[in-house]
């Protein structure tokens, strides 16, 4: 049995909101078993917004949530860090609508969680194990989950840009692989889109400190952290958006040219298709286990005779 976990102690950081450009205080606080991941707006009467598909709102360039008109935005990098480091239950306090963008990756959040430490709680973790494929496609954008004994992600992207004609990566997600291979990958944007975003009052906090900016032929930043940092960041976004199902997923996620809108639509579809998964207490648990138990139970009265 895997125990549910929370952060060992309260911890805070300060950053800026990508879109507002405003300073934001973020605090992670321990929470009890079966509490889940909930945002709390300290500037709005501590109103809570649970990180679930039911509260999805305003998917544009990032993933937003809202409950009773109280919003939290740009949640995906923090959610990806929490679920990948194995934090099931936590209170995330914010004094502004946006989760701070930090350096555009999940690495600062991993650092924060590791600094706080993680502790087990006296309750079993439940995993959402895929037993039949679930898929969505919209034109050439696709996303699907297939049965697997582990959580794996295959992502491929292609953009009309010399650096991004095609990138693809498959990775089994464990805490270590996430921390080393995925968390440091930064968000990216195209220079031609930056002006448009600014005119619409978005990305006011955006800079080369928190995003890779792609010019006509290359990147404006000094260096990439990985040669295929772009597709790694898409994997990071998908993990964060998938966290909204409320359980760690055991299955092989395969996505092509998807984005937040498709990721989150897919997260909602997973919960709707309840015949395609089951909740288990161990990732290795298979359908054969309850079947064997059922056979044994059926045989028991005869054996007793
Ligand atoms: Zn992202």
């Amino acid at each position: 049995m895997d125990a549910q976990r929370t952060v060992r102690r309260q911890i805070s950081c300060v950053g800026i909101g990508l879109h507002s450009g405003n300073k934001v205080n973020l605090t992670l606080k321990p929470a009890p078993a079966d509490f889940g991941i909930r945002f709390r707006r300290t500037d709005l009467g501590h109103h809570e917004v649970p990180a679930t598909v039911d509260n999805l709102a305003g998917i544009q360039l990032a993933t937003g949530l809202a409950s009773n008109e109280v919003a939290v935005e740009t949640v995906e990098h923090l959610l990806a860090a929490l679920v990948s480091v194995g934090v099931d239950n936590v209170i995330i306090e914010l004094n502004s609508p946006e989760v701070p963008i930090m350096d555009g990756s999940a690495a600062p959040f991993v650092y924060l969680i590791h600094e706080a430490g993680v502790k087990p709680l006296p309750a079993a973790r439940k995993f959402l194990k895929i037993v039949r494929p679930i898929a969505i496609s919209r034109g050439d954008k696709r996303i699907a989950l297939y049965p697997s004994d582990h959580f794996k992600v295959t992502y491929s992207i292609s953009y009309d840009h010399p650096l991004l004609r095609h990138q693809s990566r498959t990775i089994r997600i464990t805490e270590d692989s996430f921390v080393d291979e995925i968390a440091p990958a930064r968000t990216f944007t195209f220079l031609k889109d930056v002006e448009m975003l600014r005119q619409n009052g978005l990305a006011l906090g955006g800079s080369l400190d928190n995003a890779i900016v792609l010019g006509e032929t290359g990147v404006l930043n000094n260096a990439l952290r990985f040669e295929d940092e772009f597709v790694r960041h898409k994997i990071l976004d998908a993990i964060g958006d998938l966290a909204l199902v409320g359980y760690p997923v055991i299955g092989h996620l395969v996505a092509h040219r998807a984005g937040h809108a498709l990721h989150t639509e897919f997260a909602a579809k997973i919960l709707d298709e309840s015949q395609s998964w089951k909740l288990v207490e161990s990732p290795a648990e298979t359908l054969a286990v309850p079947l064997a138990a059922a056979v044994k139970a059926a045989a028991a009265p005869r054996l007793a005779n």
Side-chain angles (χ1 to χ4, degrees):
M1 180 194 101
D2 279 31
Q4 292 182 30
R5 306 205 292 177
T6 188
V7 288
R8 188 170 291 282
R9 65 180 179 91
Q10 175 175 325
I11 196 160
S12 302
C13 71
V14 179
I16 59 163
L18 174 62
H19 291 308
S20 64
N22 293 337
K23 196 176 122 181
V24 188
N25 294 312
L26 166 86
T27 300
L28 303 180
K29 290 184 164 177
D34 299 317
F35 182 89
I37 297 172
R38 298 187 204 172
F39 292 89
R40 189 181 273 174
R41 286 281 301 274
T42 55
D43 57 328
L44 291 177
H46 288 65
H47 188 89
E48 280 187 357
V49 184
T52 65
V53 291
D54 295 337
N55 292 326
L56 271 169
I59 310 306
Q60 219 179 355
L61 298 156
T63 299
L65 303 169
S67 162
N68 294 330
E69 297 181 11
V70 173
V72 286
E73 292 159 19
T74 322
V75 300
E76 61 274 16
H77 303 162
L78 175 57
L79 292 182
L82 287 167
V83 298
S84 300
V85 174
V87 175
D88 309 275
N89 306 290
V90 67
I91 297 163
I92 304 161
E93 288 190 345
L94 293 171
N95 66 341
S96 149
E98 280 190 276
V99 174
I101 188 67
M102 311 311 284
D103 68 351
S105 81
F109 298 128
V110 167
Y111 178 82
L112 196 68
I113 299 162
H114 282 163
E115 280 295 297
V118 171
K119 70 171 184 186
L121 293 165
R125 174 183 286 156
K126 290 195 174 63
F127 299 85
L128 189 149
K129 184 163 177 140
I130 301 298
V131 295
R132 289 193 195 93
I134 306 173
I136 295 185
S137 59
R138 297 276 178 268
D140 66 345
K141 300 176 192 297
R142 298 187 297 274
I143 187 163
L145 259 168
Y146 300 96
S148 168
D149 286 338
H150 312 287
F151 180 41
K152 272 197 305 191
V153 182
T154 295
Y155 214 114
S156 54
I157 54 174
S158 67
Y159 289 87
D160 182 20
H161 187 278
L163 281 185
L164 281 180
R165 292 269 179 259
H166 182 76
Q167 281 190 0
S168 178
R169 173 165 284 270
T170 295
I171 183 164
R172 178 178 164 190
I173 305 296
T174 62
E175 177 174 347
D176 286 347
S177 74
F178 179 82
V179 169
D180 294 340
E181 307 286 338
I182 302 299
R186 294 163 296 171
T187 193
F188 57 95
T189 187
F190 296 91
L191 184 60
K192 62 183 170 59
D193 294 336
V194 172
E195 259 321 292
M196 187 268 293
L197 290 171
R198 293 263 162 94
Q199 280 165 9
N200 288 302
L202 296 170
L204 299 178
S207 74
L208 293 177
D209 292 332
N210 53 36
I212 305 167
V213 180
L214 287 141
E216 297 269 301
T217 54
V219 300
L220 274 58
N221 311 65
N222 288 332
L224 292 175
R225 293 178 178 175
F226 305 98
E227 199 183 341
D228 61 350
E229 187 167 355
F230 309 96
V231 74
R232 290 177 193 242
H233 188 81
K234 296 297 283 190
I235 293 173
L236 165 53
D237 282 341
I239 294 170
D241 290 335
L242 201 62
L244 298 174
V245 303
Y247 302 97
V249 170
I250 306 299
H252 185 183
L253 183 75
V254 180
H256 175 65
R257 302 201 69 194
H260 291 301
L262 200 60
H263 298 160
T264 51
E265 181 185 350
F266 188 62
K269 185 180 171 74
I270 295 167
L271 289 183
D272 284 344
E273 295 207 359
S274 57
Q275 75 286 1
S276 299
W277 49 266
K278 60 183 203 121
L279 293 180
V280 298
E281 289 188 0
S282 160
E285 195 175 310
T286 65
L287 281 170
V289 174
L291 187 63
V295 168
K296 202 171 154 191
R302 250 188 313 129
L303 291 174
N305 289 337

